[in-house]
Amino acid sequence: MATADDLKFQEFDDAANLLAANPDATTISIDEPVEIPKNQHSRLQEPGREEDDELLGTDDSDKTELLAGQKKSAPFWTFEYYQTFFDVDTYQVLDRIKGSVFPVPGKNFVRLYIRSNPDLYGPFWICATLVFTIAVSGNLSNFFIHLGKPTYHYVPEFRKVSIAATTIYAYAWLVPLALWGFLMWRNSKVMNIVSYSFLEIVCVYGYSLFVYIPTAILWIIPQQVVRWVLMVFSLCLSGSVLVMTFWPAVRDDNRRIAVATVAAILLLHALLAVGCLAYFFDAPELDIPPPVIPAHNGTTVITKSH
Amino acid sequence: FPGLADVSISQDIPVEGEITVPVGSQSPDEDYSTLDEPVKDTIMRDLKAVGKKFVHVMYPRKSSALLRDWDLWGPLVLCVSLALMLQGGSADSKDDGGPQFAEVFVIIWFGAVVITLNSKLLGGTISFFQSLCVLGYCVMPLTVAMLVCRLVLLAGAGTVSFIIRLIVVGAMFGWSTLASTAFLADSQPPNRKALVVYPIFLFYFVISWMILTFTPQ
């Protein structure tokens, strides 16, 4: 048992004692996903810290640090550097999308799915799809709403595509930048804050926007109640992904600042959804201003066309 | 081999001779030099190359002609004609309306560049201009669809014409996507093919949407 101990990587937290006590615990090889030791550690540790480590992944964060250091070694002006951000296979992208649509309570999206391999494919193409989905759905829904009216002439409203693109790409890149800067600043003041890298934050935001794509398609249904129910539902899903990612990171900070940060994240997310619904989709019961018919005795009668 | 042990060149034997390599005759040079040919030959050669690629798009087979000798004349002609045909839409109000000429141009070229970069970043082995060439030439079915749509719209703009346009644009969209996938899919790593094909699908979908929603004044 002593020799097995000498050969194993000595960790300097609680798990070290457990590994010494249980040398048959699964060890980590560099090229395998680090799922098995995480489950071992979480089962063997005290229940109080189990949730923390599952959420933060501090038990394997130092191992993933090693892996991350080995990956992105090309200088930033070469093409290979940017290829490291697209090092994902089809099934990985699909897994990440699935993880953003069905958030498991208690599991951190970044630690579970990203695992120090943030990709730019997902955020970029999910945003592009969302831009065109919102523009096309908005156009279709306006067409169906105004279909029977004699004064309506269909226009493709192509301007709205560029507006949608600017809004969504700005949200998906500037808000992570601000959040990353904020977390870095707090990290310098409070030691316990786990800081994510900028690309991991962009990744989380990008994948969390995926649930808005089917929502935008379903917003074609011209019922206001249905639209708001859909919006609340999708807001809950994607908001929970964001909250479960960022709450453990700011939890150790001053309580008011932590709550304010998470509230700001959710507020911006809700603002994006409400803004898109209001701007691209006309309200279903929007009538042409009712014609004013002057009656014989001088009073005007306003007919409501419904 | 004892006799070879003491082979040496004595100092007084003059070493001389010709070390020039005989240059090939001048005639292969004349075949490759196209400076002196009539202008008609030059233009016809390029036109024939472009025409051959159009035929390859119409009947997509696994041929390397589109990839090997890429050119961007075909994509330019297709893009300009598509953008011209998309003009004259409902442009009475300044805000809403169809895409402007520059918008169509930018969407097609910028979209093709982004898709090419995407496939190269994912590890594709195709070169930049080859991919641009393929994506540009595969816009041809959609240009034909635009022509058909404009002719159908001359006849009328009712529901029947809309259904005809929908079927034609849908079929051409499928043809474009399948043709470009047939040419580009082989150069991608096998477990990332879907990641490369999806942006191509989105690209042609956006162009098809612009064609389908074209409404004349």
Side-chain angles (χ1 to χ4, degrees):
Chain A
M1 196 161 109
T3 44
D5 235 354
D6 290 341
L7 292 175
K8 289 215 176 21
F9 178 68
Q10 297 294 335
E11 299 191 34
F12 296 102
D13 55 6
D14 296 348
N17 306 329
L18 301 164
L19 255 186
N22 183 13
D24 297 323
T26 310
T27 52
I28 299 166
S29 59
I30 295 284
D31 52 352
E32 279 179 19
V34 290
E35 285 197 48
I36 303 168
K38 196 151 82 92
N39 292 341
Q40 289 272 12
H41 291 175
S42 61
R43 205 176 60 233
L44 295 172
Q45 283 169 356
E46 311 107 47
R49 289 201 39 95
E50 175 178 315
E51 182 194 306
D52 294 3
D53 281 333
E54 274 195 5
L55 282 175
L56 286 178
T58 46
D59 48 354
D60 62 330
S61 62
D62 45 356
K63 297 180 192 56
T64 54
E65 273 301 311
L66 283 176
L67 294 176
Q70 288 165 11
K71 272 164 51 93
K72 301 177 182 24
S73 54
F76 70 90
W77 56 83
T78 58
F79 193 69
E80 283 73 27
Y81 176 75
Y82 299 101
Q83 267 185 326
T84 58
F85 302 137
F86 283 77
D87 193 17
V88 277
D89 292 336
T90 308
Y91 76 92
Q92 281 175 314
V93 172
L94 291 176
D95 270 347
R96 291 175 187 192
I97 290 179
K98 199 161 48 86
S100 77
V101 176
F102 305 117
V104 179
K107 288 284 198 310
N108 187 336
F109 181 78
V110 173
R111 292 301 170 212
L112 193 58
Y113 289 103
I114 308 279
R115 295 179 174 285
S116 83
N117 183 20
D119 70 302
L120 285 181
Y121 178 90
F124 183 78
W125 287 110
I126 289 178
C127 287
T129 310
L130 186 61
V131 164
F132 288 114
T133 308
I134 284 190
V136 167
S137 302
N139 200 238
L140 268 180
S141 116
N142 291 351
F143 172 69
F144 286 132
I145 286 175
H146 299 298
L147 188 50
K149 305 199 174 107
T151 58
Y152 176 67
H153 181 64
Y154 170 75
V155 284
E157 293 176 325
F158 202 74
R159 292 294 159 280
K160 296 200 169 173
V161 172
S162 25
I163 295 175
T166 314
T167 314
I168 288 175
Y169 273 102
Y171 178 77
W173 286 85
L174 293 183
V175 172
L177 186 66
L179 191 58
W180 174 73
F182 178 75
L183 284 179
M184 283 283 131
W185 174 58
R186 296 310 296 173
N187 196 21
S188 68
K189 296 191 147 200
V190 180
M191 273 304 127
N192 283 351
I193 291 200
V194 170
S195 60
Y196 300 114
S197 76
F198 171 60
L199 285 171
E200 286 173 345
I201 302 183
V202 166
C203 229
V204 170
Y205 265 87
Y207 281 103
S208 75
L209 285 177
F210 177 82
V211 76
Y212 286 132
I213 295 178
T215 308
I217 297 178
L218 287 176
W219 272 344
I220 296 180
I221 300 174
Q223 295 295 327
Q224 203 70 323
V225 174
V226 169
R227 287 181 177 177
W228 278 93
V229 164
L230 280 171
M231 164 139 77
V232 168
F233 184 62
S234 63
L235 196 56
C236 285
L237 276 182
S238 62
S240 68
V241 171
L242 290 177
V243 166
M244 281 191 294
T245 305
F246 290 110
W247 176 245
V250 296
R251 180 181 43 203
D252 293 326
D253 200 353
N254 185 357
R255 175 62 55 159
R256 278 167 41 187
I257 293 188
V259 170
T261 308
V262 174
I265 292 175
L266 283 178
L267 189 66
L268 283 172
H269 214 61
L271 212 60
L272 179 78
V274 170
C276 283
L277 180 61
Y279 184 70
F280 292 102
F281 295 83
D282 286 346
E285 276 89 29
L286 184 69
D287 293 332
I288 321 171
V292 174
I293 304 173
H296 290 295
N297 52 359
T299 59
T300 56
V301 174
I302 298 182
T303 62
K304 215 167 159 45
S305 60
H306 207 292
Chain B
F1 303 88
L4 289 178
D6 53 357
V7 169
S8 62
I9 299 178
S10 64
Q11 297 297 330
D12 51 357
I13 296 179
V15 178
E16 58 178 89
E18 288 261 352
I19 58 171
T20 55
V21 177
V23 180
S25 67
Q26 290 299 322
S27 48
D29 268 352
E30 275 164 7
D31 285 351
Y32 295 151
S33 155
T34 56
L35 206 53
D36 297 329
E37 65 178 8
V39 174
K40 184 170 81 79
D41 281 356
T42 315
I43 295 181
M44 285 312 295
R45 184 174 47 240
D46 280 344
L47 276 182
K48 280 205 194 95
V50 170
K52 203 156 63 145
K53 290 201 189 63
F54 278 134
V55 170
H56 276 297
V57 171
M58 277 182 16
Y59 304 110
R61 291 186 306 272
K62 293 244 185 316
S63 80
S64 58
L66 237 143
L67 295 180
R68 232 189 7 237
D69 312 314
W70 60 267
D71 73 87
L72 294 179
W73 284 113
L76 180 68
V77 164
L78 287 172
C79 181
V80 167
S81 55
L82 186 62
L84 280 177
M85 283 196 278
L86 277 169
Q87 297 311 299
S90 44
D92 43 4
S93 72
K94 279 201 298 290
D95 303 330
D96 299 340
Q100 300 294 318
F101 182 91
E103 285 175 341
V104 177
F105 221 79
V106 161
I107 281 188
I108 292 184
W109 286 102
F110 186 63
V113 165
V114 164
I115 293 177
T116 306
L117 279 179
N118 177 63
S119 89
K120 284 188 79 68
L121 283 169
L122 281 170
T125 54
I126 201 171
S127 96
F128 184 76
F129 285 107
Q130 282 173 351
S131 172
L132 276 189
C133 170
V134 168
L135 286 169
Y137 270 100
C138 289
V139 171
M140 190 192 78
L142 287 170
T143 311
V144 168
M146 182 74 222
L147 198 59
V148 169
C149 280
R150 281 211 88 143
L151 293 175
V152 167
L153 279 170
L154 281 180
T159 312
V160 172
S161 94
F162 174 73
I163 293 182
I164 297 177
R165 282 186 289 141
L166 181 65
I167 294 175
V168 167
V169 171
M172 293 297 158
F173 160 63
W175 195 343
S176 284
T177 312
L178 286 175
S180 61
T181 311
F183 287 117
L184 290 178
D186 284 340
S187 59
Q188 309 303 324
N191 48 349
R192 297 181 183 180
K193 276 205 178 33
L195 296 184
V196 172
V197 167
Y198 171 70
I200 300 179
F201 169 87
L202 186 65
F203 175 64
Y204 288 124
F205 177 79
V206 169
I207 299 181
S208 315
W209 176 256
M210 286 196 298
I211 293 176
L212 190 59
T213 60
F214 172 76
T215 47
Q217 269 287 49

